[in-house]
Amino acid sequence: KVSGMAFEDYIEKEILKPLGMEASSFLMKQWETGRIAAPYSVDSVYEISPRKTYPYNRAYAPSSTMHSRAYEMCLYALAHLNHGQLNGTRILDESAYAHMWTPTSSEISHMGLGWFLGDHRGYKTVSHSGGDPGFSTNLVLIPDERTAVIVLSNYDRASVIPLSDALVDIALGLEPEPLTVRKEELDRAIYKALATGGSEAARTKFQELKSTQPNFDFTQVRQLMSLSSNLKHAGRAADAIVVDELNIMTFRPFAFLYNNLAETCLLAGDTTKALANFEKVLELSPQHSNAQKRVQQLKN
């Protein structure tokens, strides 16, 4: 609105072209189609396979649709390490970095303006990770050392963060810590346990993984939500209930996880269990509109 230009046109004119990022673009029609990496994900039976659809929605441009080359991403990183300039061209006032790389509030100390603020083995880091179906990326700047690491993967479950950390160590002349990746993805392990041994096998496998991989986070929550959705689409609501119940145990009991379980119970025809879980939603989030409506419907 300020410039009177479309987002993609503004970024091309003010940032990409001045930095020499000639092949980089937010618009699909400008991409070099012969050089686009094919996206890979896990399919409905949890095997790695190429995706049938390519993730592009123009409305998401400010978030996730820029396509670039590794070399041009290095130009982008160098411009930020130089506080807004590269090869005599300035794309941002140097003063902007004091705003972008400062925490937005004392309560959210890890977030600047569009950047994640962190620390790696005593070095200040400024970074941003990202992903779309079939892709996973990470950009890390170490401003005080004028060093950057960029990892781009055409597999959406690639362990780009551990790999980035190891590469940062190498770039700084440090001995890399052991590279850790998720040895067994949660949703795939639970799916295979369900397929071979039913609900009890799935619960046993879950407890085994939780004891060996205690640091569950929101990645696993999303994985199990996806597995539950796949099972429901396959007409396996009873198995989906098992997965939804396990999901509540992964991270911490959010209202939306109980709501998801309650809706699955409804799909399976268990109205008693559905009502109990919708009521649990309202304990955690009294204004939850779907749970309010469902409780009223079920009690009537």
Side-chain angles (χ1 to χ4, degrees):
K1 288 189 175 183
V2 171
S3 69
M5 300 171 66
F7 174 83
E8 297 94 340
D9 295 337
Y10 180 86
I11 297 297
E12 180 180 18
K13 178 176 181 291
E14 299 293 335
I15 296 179
L16 301 181
K17 293 294 186 184
L19 294 182
M21 299 175 67
E22 299 292 335
S24 302
S25 175
F26 285 87
L27 288 172
M28 179 180 277
K29 65 183 180 182
Q30 295 178 357
W31 300 343
E32 294 183 73
T33 54
R35 300 187 65 171
I36 294 175
Y40 282 77
S41 294
V42 292
D43 58 24
S44 59
V45 293
Y46 294 88
E47 298 298 335
I48 299 173
S49 62
R51 292 186 60 85
K52 295 179 180 178
T53 56
Y54 193 87
Y56 177 77
N57 183 329
R58 188 180 173 190
Y60 293 163
S63 166
S64 57
T65 68
M66 189 173 87
H67 281 56
S68 187
R69 297 174 177 172
Y71 169 74
E72 294 190 2
M73 287 304 301
C74 290
L75 298 178
Y76 182 78
L78 283 168
H80 286 302
L81 290 173
N82 292 333
H83 284 194
Q85 68 174 344
L86 184 67
N87 298 327
T89 298
R90 178 163 290 281
I91 59 169
L92 280 175
D93 290 335
E94 187 168 2
S95 61
Y97 288 83
H99 296 290
M100 291 196 299
W101 292 354
T102 298
T104 55
S105 73
S106 58
E107 291 79 18
I108 314 177
S109 60
H110 67 287
M111 275 304 304
L113 296 177
W115 293 92
F116 301 128
L117 311 176
D119 176 271
H120 179 81
R121 298 178 71 173
Y123 291 90
K124 172 187 174 183
T125 62
V126 183
S127 65
H128 206 299
S129 57
D132 248 329
F135 294 96
S136 186
T137 63
N138 196 34
L139 165 64
V140 184
L141 307 179
I142 304 92
D144 294 341
E145 301 299 317
R146 291 181 49 78
T147 297
V149 163
I150 300 153
V151 178
L152 311 173
S153 171
N154 63 329
Y155 174 48
D156 52 20
R157 299 194 181 196
S159 297
V160 296
I161 303 298
L163 179 56
S164 298
D165 289 343
L167 291 171
V168 167
D169 287 337
I170 293 170
L172 294 175
L174 303 174
E175 182 69 26
E177 295 180 350
L179 186 61
T180 57
V181 297
R182 290 193 299 274
K183 294 181 180 178
E184 187 166 21
E185 293 180 323
L186 184 60
D187 54 347
R188 185 185 301 185
I190 298 302
Y191 176 85
K192 289 184 176 179
L194 276 170
T196 57
S199 59
E200 285 308 309
R203 293 187 181 97
T204 299
K205 186 64 177 178
F206 177 84
Q207 292 299 339
E208 174 191 320
L209 290 173
K210 196 165 176 61
S211 65
T212 58
Q213 303 179 31
N215 298 319
F216 279 17
D217 60 23
F218 222 71
T219 302
Q220 283 91 341
V221 172
R222 290 197 301 268
Q223 286 181 10
L224 289 188
M225 288 189 72
S226 177
L227 172 55
S228 172
S229 177
N230 288 343
L231 291 170
K232 283 184 280 192
H233 283 303
R236 297 169 59 183
D239 285 339
I241 288 175
V242 175
V243 173
D244 289 339
E245 290 174 337
L246 294 178
N247 208 1
I248 291 171
M249 300 165 61
T250 57
F251 192 46
R252 69 175 187 260
F254 286 111
F256 76 87
L257 293 178
Y258 280 102
N259 185 75
N260 198 55
L261 170 58
E263 290 289 353
T264 308
C265 292
L266 272 185
L267 188 64
D270 191 340
T271 55
T272 301
K273 195 170 185 176
L275 176 59
N277 281 287
F278 281 126
E279 290 177 334
K280 183 64 177 179
V281 174
L282 295 178
E283 289 178 20
L284 296 169
S285 180
Q287 303 304 315
H288 196 289
S289 59
N290 182 67
Q292 288 176 338
K293 181 182 70 174
R294 290 298 200 189
V295 167
Q296 185 177 7
Q297 290 173 340
L298 288 168
K299 286 186 174 179
N300 289 340

